[in-house]
Amino acid sequence: MTSYLIKGARIPSTGSDHRPGEEHADVLVQEGRVALDGDWDESDHEVVDASGLILLPGLVDLHTHLREPGREDAETVLTGTQAAAMGGFTAVHAMANTDPVADTAGVVEQVWRLGREAGYCDVYPVGAVTVGLAGRQLAELGAMADSAARVRVFSDDGHCVDDAVLMRRALEYVKAFDGVVAQHAQEPRLTENAQMNEGELSGRLGLGGWPAVAEEAVIARDCLLAAHVGSRLHVCHVSTAGSVELIRQAKASGWNVTAEVTPHHLLLTDDLAASYDPIYKVNPPLRTAADTEALRAGLADGTIDVVATDHAPHPHEDKDCEWAAAAFGMLGLETALSVVQETMVDPGLLSWSEVAERMSYAPARIGRVADHGRPIEDGAPANIVLYDPSGRRVVEASESVSLSRNTPYAGMELPGRVVATFLHGRPTVLDGKLC
Ligand SMILES: [Zn+2]
């Protein structure tokens, strides 16, 4: 196994404190581990010049749609984890809304195994909460937790577990194996025929409205349920200012609630729907500038724990149609770090050590993932990413390694680029190219 000597990278201080301290260090990647500040001979190793680059722990995504099994025309475990590696990720949680649904030990083990065979990211399958995502009976949560895939995150994502009794039972059940229920908060009756954020604009465009209260009502109920049964709740893709406030209150009450925000909800707003271009159609929908502002503030002060991509590939024919008929969702893995730099780091809302917390340490903690989300220190697993924050580039949809092309950032200029990603000491990306 080749060893790599990474020379002169900036390593943000570890921990979640606000110390701006950064050190420049040489890091040796050898036998799947990192070593710091040794007296190494350059001729013994492959040298990577990292001057001006930032070395971060490998990113961990709590919310990825890999589409396999069932929609291999949109994405496969291989292509999805390749896109993840290009974005600096070393671990992804694969959502359960595949075909067949990941609601049994057999399906989660299949996805887990495909991830190992592909070798670009560690894949942690998310188990469905209910059989077939149908919201009627609990899936085999215990069997999925005991399987080789060791499932700890359960979600019906794409659907809301709206039955309060089922949600309560799921929250109670996952306590047995320290699991977490990740809720897609969407009150179904309030969002029938919903197409975009409900507001003056949805009325003018004649598109069905998706009101903020449909998200907030479910979050409020779930926080109360999680507190009542003493379990862990994770809120997927928080999109409104009111949701941020509810989660802030839940945390202040000492309840075990965590939350994520997507890159697109940090950057994009609902006025983009005026183009009627379905590339901007996503669930939950893009919201107002005031919501975006509240999401950034919530991510900065730690109310929102995590940035998760909700990477949702769709083939051309599912997006290249009129708005109402188009599928919900957009790509996110390859651009996540650049969007976070643009919206959070460059404006001074997050330091790079806080980016490591929100995109690596915290998601690994929530997903109970052991080998990822670790500070870069002697002996730690070599799951790391080298990032160049200088310069800006125009995003080209054709350059994506995803099987799909539905990026909302095509033609937009974003900062930074991933230079290299290492998974267990092996490069998955070098010189900005897939290995
Ligand atoms: Zn969702």
Side-chain angles (χ1 to χ4, degrees), residues 226-240:
H228 182 64
V229 305
S231 188
R232 285 207 291 147
L233 170 73
H234 178 72
V235 185
C236 296
H237 41 49
V238 168
S239 72
T240 79

Side-chain angles (χ1 to χ4, degrees), residues 46-71:
E46 191 88 32
V47 173
V48 180
D49 176 14
S51 45
L53 307 186
I54 297 170
L55 187 62
L56 293 170
L59 308 183
V60 177
D61 196 10
L62 266 181
H63 193 146
T64 313
H65 296 277
L66 294 178
R67 302 297 189 216
E68 189 175 3
R71 285 307 300 267

